[in-house]
Amino acid sequence: MKILIFFLIFFLLLSSLSLSQNIFKRICYLRPESNFPIDYVIQNNICTHIIIAFVSIDSESNLSFDQTFIDFLQLCRQSIDTINNNENYPKLMFSIGGGGAGGWKMASSTDERRKRFVQSILQFIQQYQLDGVDIDWEFPSWPKKLTQYSERNDFIKLLQEIRRNFDHEKQISGKHLILSAAVAAQFVIIQVSYKPVEMAESVDFINLMTYDYFIHKWYWPYVGHNSPLYSPINLPFNFINVTKTFSVEWSAEYWVKIGMPRHKIMVGIPTYGKRYTLFHSKINYPGAMAISGGNDMTYSEVCEFLKRKNTVEKYDSIAHSPYAHNEPKWIRMKNFGGLMIFSLNADDYRQHCSNIDNDDNDDSRILFPIHMAIRDSVINS
């Protein structure tokens, strides 16, 4: 059976947008990983913000983490302090939660628990000299249930409690602590989980997860782009309004429409691809049926896939998304505040792609080709 992959990389428009008031942010998520070249990331100014993911929540509404996480966090802090020469960036943050993580309902359910939880966050930031926290609750009130409004309201109260404590800390130390929130891009979740106007009052920015639009399920056995800039027309049941919202453009603009300021929206970019086992090898376009969905593919794995015999690259002119890679020039042109990349780990820092295309003695090879291309597009603007 033929394997089909969908992968999206954004390269940004070189526009005349002024950066004097608000820096165009490059938010990079990073999971702890042994022998990770963090010095390279910092020396090459790849990210303005590095978010180490993820910390959990225990049964007492305190942060839960292991020594591996702490060791990696301290390594990042040391590298920034050593290499950065007292510059303001990159900011070092940590993220709580992630897909499938629990503990949020309990930690946000009462004033007492929220205060305890936020104190745990503040102590963690102070102890490890961090610049802020990212709240990745996936997702308040979702799937939709009777507790819908209480969880959504508790999420707002939690953000407000964090902001109050951060503002108080600024009065004492003079340091502004950053609060961000990772949020869904899918319409059905947005409607249930968020109150954007109230969120905007507390957060410095949101990390909009404009990817995973297509995930193979028994009730949705179709292939599709991981992160299409525009909505394809060949989607199954495309006459249903919800399917027309499966695009980066729609999600980002919708968040603006419902009250999130543009400069606080970091548009998400995945460094990984989706793969599917097709129902029939001849039916291999967006919207085709699939028997199953495989594990996500890193950029290095995508490069290897493209070099296989009989691999064919195609371009979806409607979605502006080649099945392998893409170059839409859009985020800067629309005046959003920045972008979020998930993740540094999935970029080709082991140079597998370079080894495929170049001689081993080629000195022109670079680590993190996706992140570096994004960096250059932004810096050269």
Side-chain angles (χ1 to χ4, degrees):
M1 302 201 178
K2 189 172 181 179
I3 302 294
L4 186 66
I5 64 168
F6 288 89
F7 189 71
L8 176 66
I9 306 169
F10 283 111
F11 290 95
L12 309 180
L13 178 67
L14 307 182
S15 72
S16 59
L17 177 64
S18 171
L19 303 181
S20 59
Q21 294 182 348
N22 293 298
I23 184 171
F24 190 84
K25 301 175 182 65
R26 306 187 304 279
I27 315 297
C28 303
Y29 279 86
L30 173 60
R31 295 177 185 270
E33 186 175 322
S34 60
N35 300 317
F36 187 84
I38 187 63
D39 287 355
Y40 184 93
V41 173
I42 297 166
Q43 288 171 338
N44 288 278
N45 191 26
I46 290 177
C47 313
T48 61
H49 299 65
I50 298 174
I51 302 179
I52 311 301
F54 292 99
V55 165
S56 302
I57 306 172
D58 67 19
S59 59
E60 298 300 320
S61 301
N62 294 311
L63 299 182
S64 177
F65 44 85
D66 58 23
Q67 191 59 44
T68 299
F69 188 94
I70 296 303
D71 291 344
F72 189 79
L73 193 65
Q74 291 178 317
L75 175 64
C76 294
R77 179 76 273 167
Q78 181 181 5
S79 296
I80 292 173
D81 293 342
T82 301
I83 297 171
N84 205 36
N85 297 321
N86 296 319
E87 294 293 332
N88 290 326
Y89 293 93
K91 302 296 186 183
L92 183 62
M93 303 169 62
F94 76 105
S95 185
I96 307 172
W104 290 109
K105 179 176 175 57
M106 186 66 71
S108 64
S109 59
T110 67
D111 288 343
E112 180 182 355
R113 286 190 174 272
R114 283 191 292 271
K115 292 180 185 298
R116 182 188 310 160
F117 181 49
V118 174
Q119 282 303 308
S120 180
I121 293 173
L122 192 56
Q123 290 170 9
F124 191 83
I125 289 174
Q126 293 169 339
Q127 182 173 356
Y128 298 107
Q129 303 174 51
L130 305 177
D131 297 298
V133 65
D134 175 64
I135 303 299
D136 190 356
W137 182 349
E138 300 184 20
F139 300 97
S141 304
W142 180 262
K144 191 173 182 179
K145 49 192 175 241
L146 294 177
T147 57
Q148 172 185 348
Y149 294 106
S150 64
E151 285 191 16
R152 186 168 65 175
N153 291 336
D154 287 345
F155 178 52
I156 295 298
K157 292 176 183 178
L158 176 62
L159 295 177
Q160 291 170 340
E161 182 67 21
I162 297 173
R163 175 52 61 201
R164 277 195 295 269
N165 279 264
F166 281 10
D167 288 346
H168 179 69
E169 177 64 20
K170 184 176 182 179
Q171 292 177 353
I172 298 173
S173 67
K175 179 178 180 178
H176 175 82
L177 295 177
I178 302 167
L179 172 59
S180 67
V183 300
Q186 291 79 3
F187 171 79
V188 290
I189 302 177
I190 296 172
Q191 294 299 101
V192 172
S193 297
Y194 305 115
K195 302 172 75 173
V197 173
E198 292 172 73
M199 286 180 63
E201 295 173 355
S202 296
V203 301
D204 290 277
F205 54 84
I206 61 170
N207 294 308
L208 181 55
M209 294 184 283
T210 40
Y211 39 75
D212 293 342
Y213 284 102
F214 276 81
I215 299 177
H216 187 276
K217 300 289 186 181
W218 66 267
Y219 54 84
W220 191 259
Y222 305 103
V223 304
H225 298 292
N226 184 24
S227 184
L229 181 61
Y230 303 115
S231 180
I233 61 173
N234 291 328
L235 292 178
F237 311 116
N238 203 47
F239 58 88
I240 301 176
N241 287 333
V242 171
T243 63
K244 296 178 182 179
T245 68
F246 291 1
S247 73
V248 175
E249 180 196 43
W250 187 93
S251 299
E253 292 292 352
Y254 186 69
W255 270 95
V256 174
K257 180 180 178 180
I258 59 180
M260 185 60 62
R262 283 183 183 272
H263 72 275
K264 290 193 174 188
I265 298 176
M266 307 298 117
V267 181
I269 299 175
T271 56
Y272 62 93
K274 295 291 183 184
R275 60 178 143 194
Y276 305 87
T277 300
L278 291 169
F279 180 78
H280 194 286
S281 62
K282 300 296 184 182
I283 307 175
N284 52 25
Y285 48 79
M289 291 193 68
I291 295 174
S292 64
N295 294 329
D296 293 342
M297 301 178 72
T298 66
Y299 181 50
S300 302
E301 291 173 319
V302 171
C303 288
E304 293 171 359
F305 178 87
L306 293 176
K307 292 300 179 181
R308 291 182 189 175
K309 185 179 180 180
N310 298 325
T311 294
V312 177
E313 298 179 53
K314 294 184 178 180
Y315 184 76
D316 186 334
S317 60
I318 302 299
H320 284 221
S321 299
Y323 299 179
H325 62 272
N326 184 359
E327 299 186 8
K329 302 174 180 179
W330 183 78
I331 297 176
R332 290 295 297 276
M333 188 167 59
K334 293 291 186 176
N335 293 343
F336 288 102
L339 50 89
M340 172 269 286
I341 313 116
F342 191 90
S343 64
L344 280 161
N345 307 80
D347 205 342
D348 185 44
Y349 71 88
R350 294 185 178 89
Q351 299 184 319
H352 290 170
C353 294
S354 299
N355 290 335
I356 291 171
D357 295 328
N358 302 311
D359 295 332
D360 290 339
N361 295 325
D362 187 351
D363 293 333
S364 66
R365 293 178 298 168
I366 60 174
L367 279 67
F368 304 98
I370 300 176
H371 286 77
M372 292 288 279
I374 293 170
R375 180 209 67 174
D376 291 344
S377 294
V378 172
I379 290 177
N380 291 333
S381 62

